[in-house]
């Protein structure tokens, strides 16, 4: 009896701590979102109250949609993120297959070379990257961002995917070879479908940092027509500091797409982290 | 020689795109940046000046004051992460991994939410919440009778950096939590049961059995935190701007690099001094990674179950 009561008490304490921390984690998001739907007066008078019929207002959203080109920013972010993920997965999987499947001279060396980038942040090379992008005329294009994010994502992608590809059965690939499939067909038709879960993990790991990055959009593509959503909201909020409705609405609009992605992919993300893919 | 194997072109084809992009956009610029730190622009021409940029960076009071300030701030930023973020992450993971806990998945997903938000959102959201104009923070402190503790934390030189570090902790606590959670789940039940037979349960089990087993994960988290903190930039820029106010009290290496090489307001950009700062950051990160790889990781015993 005593132990049963003890364990109930422990469980209650554990829930109390976890609920408290969950509140701390979600509180700022909650405050921003509810206040974005209120009138200016209600924002200041009762910041913690939910919007009601009296205080409900969409004036902030109207300003944001009138002044900022958020659809364009959103589109830019989408293009950059999707294109980078595509190249990371395609190039990463191809290189990982070469490293995992074939024995050739410099195999280990090549693996180490590609793994260097896991620990060294690409930002250190920004000065020369900017110079190169200016030299090739890619500055202020989305290609500049796509190239940088692809290079940044490749090391970890190759590392995770090659570990997975070593687990694909040799019998299957050899059966394919006997049937006369080329090495390319073996890769695209047999191996790629089998490592899809690992590809999803890599995609989810890369998606959020690319979407949220501020450094490279700020330096490589600050022009109005190439702004990403992160940079666009940063600039917009900087200009509208005193318009609280607009700032809160812009923040809520910036939260929305990431939250949507998170709801869709959170299971994959958490499974990816907890399956030890980063170990 | 007739039996020489044909060249296996497909290996080259598979490797080429990744190696080319990676080399051209990451490795080459990295070394080019290190090279540029030995040059300077004199009369519109790029001239080799040897160590002069570093002499300026460490010797010229205007530069060296800023550099040491940014470096010291960066260390403080890192220390707060190590002292607050990682223990909280471990504690949350320990709670989450307790057997038969209900709603564990729900807590896990909710606590991870701040990690997926961009620095811009996090920076501005906390700026608004802590702002004395809006009054959420003072109002909440008043409700629990602690109003006297309130200060405009982001506006005071002595608190601003610590406040931002804690905001960053709030944002990233999900990562150590997840990694430690995974490590705790991978401990086999037999070990814990064997401990329980010897009377080691509850807290004792955590300190004596689980903690030693998750030390390698704690090592990985530490080095990830180190690398992340020493090229941090976005949060400070979003919350305090490139001048890292008030009076440079929140300046870290990332913001210092940005101001120097890109220029800001009255300051003209100087790519060569920027490259020198980037090289210094590279050296710091390299030292950290080497200390981890050769000093810490080798001493940690990894158990295979």
């Amino acid at each position: 009896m005593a132990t049963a009561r003890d364990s109930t008490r422990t469980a209650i304490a554990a829930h109390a701590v976890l609920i408290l921390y969950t509140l701390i984690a979600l509180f700022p998001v909650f405050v921003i979102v509810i206040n974005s739907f209120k009138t200016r007066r209600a924002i200041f008078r009762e910041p913690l109250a939910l919007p009601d019929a009296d205080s409900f207002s969409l004036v902030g959203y109207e300003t944001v949609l009138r002044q900022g080109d958020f659809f364009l920013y959103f589109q830019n972010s989408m293009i950059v993120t999707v294109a980078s993920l595509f190249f990371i997965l395609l190039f990463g999987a191809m290189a990982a297959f070469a490293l995992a499947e074939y024995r050739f001279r410099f195999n280990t060396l090549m693996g180490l070379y590609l793994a260097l980038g896991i620990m060294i942040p690409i930002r250190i090379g920004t000065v020369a990257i900017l110079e190169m992008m200016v030299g090739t005329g890619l500055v202020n294009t989305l290609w500049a961002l796509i190239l940088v994010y692809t290079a940044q994502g490749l090391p970890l992608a190759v590392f995770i995917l090659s570990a997975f590809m070593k687990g694909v059965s040799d019998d299957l690939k050899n059966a394919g070879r006997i049937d006369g499939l080329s090495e390319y067909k073996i890769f695209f038709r047999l191996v790629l479908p089998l490592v899809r879960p690992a590809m999803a993990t890599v995609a989810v790991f890369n998606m959020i940092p690319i979407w949220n990055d501020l450094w490279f959009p700020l330096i490589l593509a600050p022009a109005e027509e190439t702004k990403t959503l992160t940079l666009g909201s940063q600039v917009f909020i900087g200009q509208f500091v005193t318009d609280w409705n607009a700032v809160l609405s812009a923040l809520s609009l910036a939260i929305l797409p990431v939250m949507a992605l998170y709801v869709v992919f959170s299971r994959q993300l958490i499974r990816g982290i907890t399956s030890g893919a980063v170990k | 020689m007739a039996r020489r194997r044909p060249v296996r072109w497909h290996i080259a084809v598979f490797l080429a795109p990744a190696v080319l992009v990676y080399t051209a956009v990451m490795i080459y610029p990295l070394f080019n940046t290190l090279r540029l730190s030995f040059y300077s622009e004199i009369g519109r021409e790029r001239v080799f000046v040897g160590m002069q940029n570093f002499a300026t960076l460490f010797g010229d009071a205007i530069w060296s004051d800023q550099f040491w300030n940014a470096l010291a701030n960066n260390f403080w930023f890192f220390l707060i992460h190590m002292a607050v973020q990682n223990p909280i992450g471990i504690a949350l993971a320990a709670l989450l991994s307790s057997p038969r806990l209900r709603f564990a998945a729900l807590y896990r997903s909710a606590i991870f939410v701040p990690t997926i938000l961009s620095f811009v959102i996090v920076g501005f959201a906390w700026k608004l919440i802590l702002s004395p104009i809006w009054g959420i923070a003072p109002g909440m402190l008043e409700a629990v009778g602690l109003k006297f503790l309130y200060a405009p934390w982001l506006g005071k030189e002595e608190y601003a950096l610590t406040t931002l570090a804690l905001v960053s902790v709030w944002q990233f606590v999900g990562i150590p939590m997840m990694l430690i959670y995974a490590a705790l789940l991978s401990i086999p039940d037999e070990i814990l049961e064997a401990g329980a037979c010897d009377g080691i349960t509850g807290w004792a089990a955590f300190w004596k059995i689980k903690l030693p087993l998750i030390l390698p994960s704690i090592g990985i988290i530490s080095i990830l935190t180190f690398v992340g903190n020493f090229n941090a930039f976005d949060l400070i820029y979003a919350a305090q701007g490139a001048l890292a106010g008030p009076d440079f009290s929140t300046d870290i290496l990332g913001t210092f690099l940005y101001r120097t090489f890109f220029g800001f307001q009255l300051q003209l950009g100087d790519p060569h001094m920027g490259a020198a700062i980037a090289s210094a950051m590279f050296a710091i990160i390299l030292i950290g990674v080497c200390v981890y790889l050769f000093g810490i990781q080798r001493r940690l015993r990894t158990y295979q179950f």
Side-chain angles (χ1 to χ4, degrees):
Chain A
M1 272 309 280
T3 52
R5 199 183 299 148
D6 265 8
S7 77
T8 321
R9 217 177 284 159
T10 322
I12 290 173
H15 279 289
V17 174
L18 287 168
I19 288 171
L20 180 74
Y21 200 85
T22 305
L23 289 180
I24 296 176
L26 297 181
F27 172 74
V29 179
F30 172 76
V31 171
I32 298 295
V33 173
I34 60 166
N35 281 291
S36 71
F37 290 105
K38 289 197 221 163
T39 59
R40 193 183 160 81
R41 264 178 63 195
I43 290 175
F44 283 98
R45 188 170 298 167
E46 285 198 311
L48 295 181
L50 286 170
D52 53 31
D54 219 20
S55 61
F56 181 79
S57 158
L58 287 174
V59 63
Y61 289 94
E62 284 161 17
T63 318
V64 171
L65 296 180
R66 203 163 353 101
Q67 304 281 344
D69 214 340
F70 273 75
F71 291 109
L72 177 69
Y73 302 158
F74 179 78
Q75 195 188 325
N76 287 338
S77 279
M78 246 356 224
I79 294 173
V80 168
T81 310
V82 171
S84 307
L85 288 181
F86 174 77
F87 288 124
I88 291 171
L89 289 176
L90 178 67
F91 295 169
M94 283 164 66
F97 182 68
L99 292 179
E101 177 67 17
Y102 307 112
R103 294 172 55 144
F104 55 97
R105 234 190 311 175
F106 309 126
N107 181 320
T108 321
L109 205 65
M110 191 58 93
L112 279 177
Y113 174 67
L114 286 170
L116 269 183
I118 297 178
M119 275 301 179
I120 300 165
I122 193 170
R123 282 181 187 188
I124 302 288
T126 307
V127 176
I129 292 178
L130 178 64
E131 208 160 84
M132 182 173 80
M133 294 300 175
V134 172
T136 51
L138 285 175
V139 84
N140 276 329
T141 63
L142 297 180
W143 276 108
L145 297 177
I146 294 171
L147 280 172
V148 167
Y149 295 140
T150 306
Q152 169 184 266
L154 278 173
L156 193 63
V158 172
F159 187 72
I160 294 177
L161 291 174
S162 66
F164 260 79
M165 284 183 183
K166 284 185 183 133
V168 175
S169 103
D170 281 334
D171 294 346
L172 181 75
K173 287 174 284 194
N174 289 333
R177 288 194 181 103
I178 290 167
D179 287 345
L181 290 185
S182 69
E183 295 298 319
Y184 304 107
K185 282 194 176 146
I186 288 175
F187 170 67
F188 282 107
R189 298 243 185 102
L190 298 182
V191 178
L192 267 196
L194 286 174
V195 294
R196 230 184 283 155
M199 307 251 289
T201 303
V202 172
V204 174
F205 273 156
N206 281 294
M207 186 164 65
I208 288 164
I210 293 175
W211 184 276
N212 283 341
D213 188 40
L214 181 61
W215 174 263
F216 283 112
L218 192 63
I219 287 164
L220 297 179
E224 183 61 24
E225 60 274 20
T226 52
K227 269 189 193 128
T228 60
L229 188 61
T230 307
L231 179 60
S233 36
Q234 154 79 26
V235 173
F236 179 87
I237 292 169
Q239 284 166 355
F240 282 77
V241 239
T242 46
D243 186 343
W244 284 66
N245 294 92
V247 167
L248 291 167
S249 309
L251 284 174
S252 304
L253 280 180
I255 293 173
L256 192 70
V258 212
M259 282 301 267
L261 285 177
Y262 182 58
V263 170
V264 176
F265 290 110
S266 70
R267 189 174 286 235
Q268 188 67 47
L269 177 72
I270 288 166
R271 202 189 301 144
I273 299 176
T274 49
S275 71
V278 276
K279 266 190 253 173
Chain B
M1 288 309 279
R3 288 179 53 219
R4 210 181 126 152
R5 290 167 73 184
V7 182
R8 292 176 294 169
W9 283 108
H10 51 268
I11 298 181
V13 172
F14 279 131
L15 278 172
V19 172
L20 282 180
V21 173
Y22 173 71
T23 309
V25 188
M26 184 154 183
I27 298 297
Y28 171 71
L30 188 64
F31 285 100
N32 203 16
T33 301
L34 299 184
R35 185 182 68 90
L36 283 178
S37 66
F38 298 111
Y39 286 77
S40 191
E41 198 176 298
I42 299 171
R44 292 200 174 180
E45 266 182 63
R46 183 164 277 173
V47 187
F48 182 80
V49 293
M51 299 298 284
Q52 201 186 304
N53 289 333
F54 292 98
T56 313
L57 185 61
F58 299 119
D60 186 339
I62 301 174
W63 286 95
S64 66
D65 284 355
Q66 284 197 71
F67 177 78
W68 294 117
N69 173 45
L71 186 65
N73 286 344
N74 223 147
F75 264 108
W76 180 242
F77 198 71
F78 171 63
L79 278 181
I80 293 200
H81 278 80
M82 288 300 284
V84 183
Q85 170 188 288
N86 296 346
I88 292 183
I90 294 168
L92 289 172
L95 287 175
L96 280 176
S97 69
S98 51
R100 291 186 303 278
L101 182 87
R102 298 179 71 188
F103 311 118
L106 196 67
Y107 291 129
R108 222 170 45 189
S109 307
I111 294 173
F112 204 71
V113 163
T115 311
I116 61 155
L117 298 178
S118 81
F119 295 95
V120 174
I121 299 170
V122 171
F124 277 106
W126 278 101
K127 209 174 160 179
L128 298 182
I129 288 169
L130 297 176
S131 149
I133 306 174
W134 198 6
I136 287 195
M140 289 179 72
L141 282 178
E142 193 172 21
V144 287
L146 292 172
K147 177 128 195 248
F148 64 92
L149 282 179
Y150 179 77
W153 288 298
L154 284 176
K156 293 248 183 193
E157 273 177 50
E158 57 270 45
Y159 304 128
L161 181 66
T162 311
T163 311
L164 280 173
L166 290 174
V167 168
S168 174
V169 165
W170 170 82
Q171 182 176 10
F172 285 116
V173 88
I175 291 177
M177 179 186 82
M178 291 291 191
L179 293 174
I180 296 291
Y181 176 70
L184 286 172
L185 287 189
S186 72
I187 299 175
D189 287 339
E190 298 88 75
I191 294 187
L192 297 174
E193 280 161 17
C197 289
D198 293 336
I200 306 171
T201 52
W203 274 110
F206 178 78
W207 287 109
K208 292 194 176 148
I209 303 174
K210 292 181 186 166
L211 197 62
L213 290 176
I214 59 171
L215 275 183
S217 300
I218 296 178
I220 290 174
I221 288 165
S222 309
I223 189 65
L224 287 178
T225 312
F226 181 83
V227 174
N229 284 166
F230 276 86
N231 78 98
F233 159 80
D234 312 51
L235 179 69
I236 311 275
Y237 181 80
Q240 307 290 61
L243 288 176
D247 194 21
F248 299 109
S249 61
T250 55
D251 201 20
I252 57 173
L253 291 170
T255 43
F256 182 40
L257 167 65
Y258 175 79
R259 267 203 325 274
T260 306
F261 107 91
F262 208 62
F264 192 74
Q265 290 180 359
L266 296 175
Q267 191 178 346
L268 270 176
D270 181 345
H272 302 100
M273 281 309 285
I277 297 170
S279 305
M281 288 166 75
F282 180 66
I284 293 167
I285 291 176
L286 212 58
I287 292 170
V289 172
C290 287
V291 166
Y292 166 72
L293 285 180
F294 301 111
I296 300 174
Q297 197 198 28
R298 285 166 134 206
R299 278 179 214 173
L300 295 176
R301 202 174 291 167
T302 311
Y303 297 88
Q304 295 287 342
F305 306 119

